[in-house]
């Protein structure tokens, strides 16, 4: 099965006369979370309106016709990211459905670990799916609930789904935000004058001048109506376990998580990397833009300037959006060029935030040597990614992950670096402010590095497990 992997960005705004335009701006600020498709659903107290497009927000939701169609003071929006084969318009969100109880729009960041199984059950019981997205499973479950109130129907559905999710949902006159019980995917609350705003990251508030209020807690459901914001806690309380990759790679450096900017976290990762793995060299250079904050932290730690040895062309998107491995490698060439006069005959420390398939490193190191670099010491500001993800991070199948295929020396040879070192897992926790990783209940969702998944990914061929799952579901409904 081709897995749908969605990291995505979500947004929502309640009671503002410029709801659609503000949503477009919020989505634009969240563009780094997904570039394949974008959409907005609005409600004008009578009708819902939905516009979904392939491509970037700025190329689609411009002033004029499309925004004029999205009338109403209530809106949600979505940026979609997916891997090969799934970039179809029908999978672009928010999804909209007319339920018995009224219209519902839903925007989802994350992945459900039991979506495949739920889908099979729903289809067996007569549901007709129109997309290949996990999110439609949630819509179908809400539609099937026997409860009368929409909030209860949603809670019913939440008890059946597993995995990582941040949702913004729009019903007639309710804006709802939800984070999964572990808080794997992020969601924050802001306010623009009287209007509540929800977004994946705080950078979406900055662009519209909204004030950041707080994060939605793990397992929390916030229901925004004209009476204000009500917080519901439908799940038994567990400790949060947010995705550490938000800190390492996904979130924009200017976003705030836990009262600290992502930029600060990344600098600390870089400083810790230097403490663990420094080597003398002529220059410290980042892979732009992903390695920049870590390289600054690294250079501060070793008291040596960071230089821009690689220049990035800002008019091409992230390498991962290209569908095939072959095109992905073109992507890297399109994106980066070497600052030749700077690096000629120099030994370099090259810094990036993460290494997944190795595509970026292979290309860049080759370009650096071609431009006359003497030595390239690659330093990665996170541990080796050995295990795939099931909760919305696009880290591919195990056999595509470089660190899963090779040991350190094998990886070094593959990317042709002079030396290669990663940040240790303990170093990662240290830089995040913890004395050590709690091995019985890790503070973060960090299975990409450790293989310890917060929710066991469902093996649809494991009959015992599936039966248990089904009885769990029916006991909750
Ligand atoms: P790779 O080229 O496959 O080794 O991927 C590593 C590069 O992609 C790094 O420069 C990262 O900043 C970036 N990256 C890491 N994780 C992801 C992800 N889940 N989606 C897109 N890009 C990523």
């Amino acid at each position: 099965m081709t897995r749908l992997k969605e990291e995505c960005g979500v947004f929502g705004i309640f009671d503002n006369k410029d709801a659609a335009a503000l949503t477009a701006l919020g989505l634009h600020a969240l563009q780094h979370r997904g570039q394949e498709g974008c959409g907005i659903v609005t409600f004008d107290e009578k009708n819902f309106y939905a516009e979904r497009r392939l491509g970037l927000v700025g190329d689609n939701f411009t002033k004029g016709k499309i925004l004029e169609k999205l009338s109403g003071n209530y809106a949600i929006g979505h940026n979609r990211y997916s891997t090969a084969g799934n970039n179809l318009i029908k999978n672009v969100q928010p999804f909209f459905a007319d339920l018995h109880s009224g219209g519902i729009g839903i925007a989802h960041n994350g992945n459900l670990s039991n979506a495949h199984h739920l889908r099979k059950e729903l289809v067996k019981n007569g549901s007709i799916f129109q997309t290949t997205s996990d999110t439609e499973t949630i819509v179908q479950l809400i539609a099937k609930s026997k409860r009368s109130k929409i909030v209860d129907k949603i809670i019913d559905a939440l008890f059946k789904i597993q995995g990582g999710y941040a949702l913004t949902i729009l019903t007639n006159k309710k804006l709802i935000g939800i984070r999964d019980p572990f808080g794997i995917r992020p969601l924050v609350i802001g306010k623009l004058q009287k209007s509540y705003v929800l977004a994946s990251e705080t950078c979406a508030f900055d662009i519209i001048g909204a004030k950041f209020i707080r994060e939605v807690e793990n397992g929390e459901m916030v229901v925004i109506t004209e009476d204000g914001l009500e917080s519901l806690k439908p799940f038994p309380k567990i400790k949060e376990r947010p995705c550490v990759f938000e800190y390492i790679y996904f979130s924009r450096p200017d976003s705030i998580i836990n009262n600290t900017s992502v930029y600060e976290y990344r600098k600390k990762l870089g400083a810790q990397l230097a403490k663990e793995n420094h080597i003398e060299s002529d220059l410290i250079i980042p892979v732009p833009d992903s390695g920049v904050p870590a390289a600054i932290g690294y250079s501060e730690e070793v008291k040596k300037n960071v230089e821009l040895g690689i220049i990035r062309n800002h008019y091409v998107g992230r390498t991962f959006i290209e569908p095939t491995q072959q095109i992905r490698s073109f992507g890297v060439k399109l994106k980066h060029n070497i600052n030749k006069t700077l690096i000629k005959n120099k030994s370099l420390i090259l810094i990036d935030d993460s290494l997944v398939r190795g595509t970026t490193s292979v290309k860049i190191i080759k370009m650096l040597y071609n431009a006359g670099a003497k030595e390239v010491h690659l330093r990665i500001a996170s541990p080796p990614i050995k295990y795939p993800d099931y909760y919305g991070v696009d880290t591919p199948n195990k056999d595509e992950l470089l660190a899963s295929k090779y040991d350190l020396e094998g990886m070094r040879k593959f990317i042709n670096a002079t030396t290669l070192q990663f940040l240790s897992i303990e170093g990662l926790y240290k830089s995040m402010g913890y004395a050590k990783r709690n091995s019985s209940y890790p503070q973060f969702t960090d299975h990409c590095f450790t293989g310890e998944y917060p929710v066991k990914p469902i093996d649809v061929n494991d009959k015992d497990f599936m039966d248990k799952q089904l009885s769990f579901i029916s006991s909750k409904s």
Side-chain angles (χ1 to χ4, degrees):
M1 181 183 69
T2 317
R3 285 193 58 84
L4 248 193
K5 312 210 172 179
E6 298 176 51
E7 45 191 55
C8 308
V10 296
F11 188 88
I13 185 160
F14 189 84
D15 197 9
N16 192 294
K17 66 177 177 29
D18 297 316
L22 292 167
T23 302
L25 286 168
L27 291 179
H28 174 66
L30 297 172
Q31 190 75 80
H32 59 288
R33 299 184 73 86
Q35 301 92 18
E36 285 198 355
C38 48
I40 298 178
V41 166
T42 60
F43 177 63
D44 69 357
E45 308 201 25
K46 238 165 114 192
N47 297 308
F48 284 87
Y49 305 87
E51 294 293 335
R52 300 179 297 150
R53 297 284 188 278
L54 289 173
L56 303 179
V57 181
D59 293 339
N60 285 294
F61 288 89
T62 46
K63 233 174 107 194
K65 278 195 192 129
I66 186 165
L67 284 177
E68 276 161 23
K69 285 193 210 164
L70 292 162
S71 77
N73 293 359
Y74 311 90
I76 56 167
H78 187 264
N79 277 332
R80 175 179 161 74
Y81 173 108
S82 84
T83 46
N86 295 307
N87 56 346
L88 306 169
I89 188 73
K90 66 178 187 177
N91 281 331
V92 175
Q93 299 189 29
F95 289 154
F96 174 75
D98 254 322
L99 307 184
H100 178 59
S101 51
I104 187 167
I106 177 163
H108 171 206
N109 165 214
N111 254 110
L112 306 183
S113 46
N114 62 345
H116 182 76
H117 154 66
L118 289 173
R119 191 186 183 99
K120 250 172 88 179
E121 284 306 307
L122 283 160
V123 170
K124 216 161 86 189
N125 291 313
S127 292
I128 298 167
F129 277 79
Q130 308 205 345
T131 73
T132 55
S133 162
D134 286 7
T135 313
E136 199 183 351
T137 313
I138 308 176
V139 181
Q140 301 271 3
L141 290 170
I142 296 171
K144 284 237 172 309
S145 167
K146 300 272 186 297
R147 314 259 173 156
S148 52
K149 291 190 180 144
I150 188 68
V151 168
D152 294 332
K153 284 176 186 287
I154 295 168
I155 292 174
D156 246 8
L158 294 180
F159 271 105
K160 293 172 185 163
I161 61 175
Q162 287 186 351
Y165 52 87
L167 305 168
T168 55
I169 297 179
L170 186 66
T171 70
N172 31 17
K173 296 191 83 183
K174 277 193 182 73
L175 171 65
I176 299 170
I178 304 158
R179 267 179 101 186
D180 65 81
F182 290 103
I184 297 177
R185 302 261 67 90
L187 191 64
V188 286
I189 308 169
K191 229 171 168 185
L192 178 63
Q193 285 110 33
K194 66 173 190 349
S195 314
Y196 274 106
V197 194
L198 299 172
S200 296
E201 292 179 41
T202 62
C203 64
F205 298 156
D206 298 339
I207 193 171
I208 59 170
K211 196 171 153 244
F212 168 53
I213 308 282
R214 66 172 176 91
E215 294 179 20
V216 175
E217 287 175 32
N218 58 311
E220 186 185 20
M221 174 178 197
V222 292
V223 181
I224 299 159
T225 62
E226 55 193 7
D227 298 329
L229 181 146
E230 186 188 5
S231 162
L232 304 177
K233 306 270 172 69
F235 301 104
K237 184 73 187 155
I238 52 172
K239 270 199 211 149
E240 68 171 347
R241 217 172 139 179
C243 172
V244 75
F245 238 75
E246 289 289 344
Y247 298 77
I248 294 170
Y249 168 78
F250 289 143
S251 294
R252 241 171 66 162
D254 51 339
S255 284
I256 311 284
I257 313 182
N258 259 331
N259 300 319
T260 305
S261 77
V262 171
Y263 177 71
E264 278 304 316
Y265 285 118
R266 289 188 188 155
K267 271 177 64 177
K268 286 191 181 135
L269 295 172
Q272 180 66 25
L273 178 66
K275 279 185 199 146
E276 293 181 6
N277 292 303
H278 184 51
I279 187 166
E280 281 312 318
S281 73
D282 300 323
L283 292 174
I284 298 172
I285 62 169
V287 173
D289 296 330
S290 50
V292 173
I296 294 174
Y298 190 110
S299 87
E300 282 177 8
E301 180 64 31
V302 300
K303 303 197 170 39
K304 190 178 189 128
N305 284 347
V306 71
E307 300 275 2
L308 296 183
I310 303 164
I311 306 300
R312 163 151 181 219
N313 181 332
H314 282 267
Y315 302 94
V316 277
R318 289 184 173 192
T319 42
F320 269 40
I321 61 175
E322 308 296 351
T324 66
Q325 183 67 18
Q326 191 190 357
I327 296 179
R328 259 199 296 275
S329 46
F330 295 158
V332 179
K333 270 189 253 162
L334 287 173
K335 202 161 137 182
H336 297 117
N337 195 27
I338 306 301
N339 187 353
K340 293 189 195 63
T341 52
L342 178 73
I343 65 104
K344 196 161 189 248
N345 292 326
K346 301 275 176 32
S347 64
L348 314 170
I349 294 178
L350 174 67
I351 297 181
D352 204 356
D353 62 350
S354 56
L355 189 116
V356 184
R357 297 176 176 89
T359 319
T360 311
S361 315
V362 165
K363 288 285 155 194
I364 282 182
I365 291 173
K366 193 165 165 203
M367 286 164 83
L368 287 166
Y369 283 134
N370 287 345
K374 235 171 38 193
E375 291 172 2
V376 182
H377 303 278
L378 181 62
R379 296 292 179 268
I380 301 290
S382 59
I385 299 173
K386 292 190 183 152
Y387 304 91
D389 181 82
Y390 301 95
Y391 315 111
V393 180
D394 175 30
T395 41
N397 298 332
K398 220 167 168 217
D399 51 9
E400 285 182 66
L401 294 170
L402 207 64
S404 157
K405 285 197 293 194
Y406 300 109
D407 63 5
L408 188 66
E409 176 56 14
M411 285 191 271
R412 185 201 67 73
K413 275 199 188 132
F414 182 88
I415 60 175
N416 197 25
T418 316
T419 67
L420 166 68
Q421 293 295 343
F422 291 82
L423 180 65
S424 68
I425 186 79
E426 288 305 341
L428 170 79
Y429 273 85
K430 222 174 184 176
S431 12
M432 307 297 294
Y434 295 96
K436 65 196 287 290
R437 178 177 185 269
N438 181 344
S439 53
S440 57
Y441 191 96
Q443 295 88 336
F444 292 102
T445 288
D446 63 11
H447 53 271
C448 294
F449 311 124
T450 61
E452 289 175 32
Y453 292 85
V455 186
K456 184 179 180 239
I458 301 248
D459 177 357
V460 283
N461 298 317
D462 178 347
K463 188 157 179 323
D464 281 357
F465 186 75
M466 297 310 273
D467 289 346
K468 266 191 226 136
Q469 183 72 14
L470 271 179
S471 58
F472 170 77
I473 288 168
S474 44
S475 73
K476 295 282 177 194
S477 39

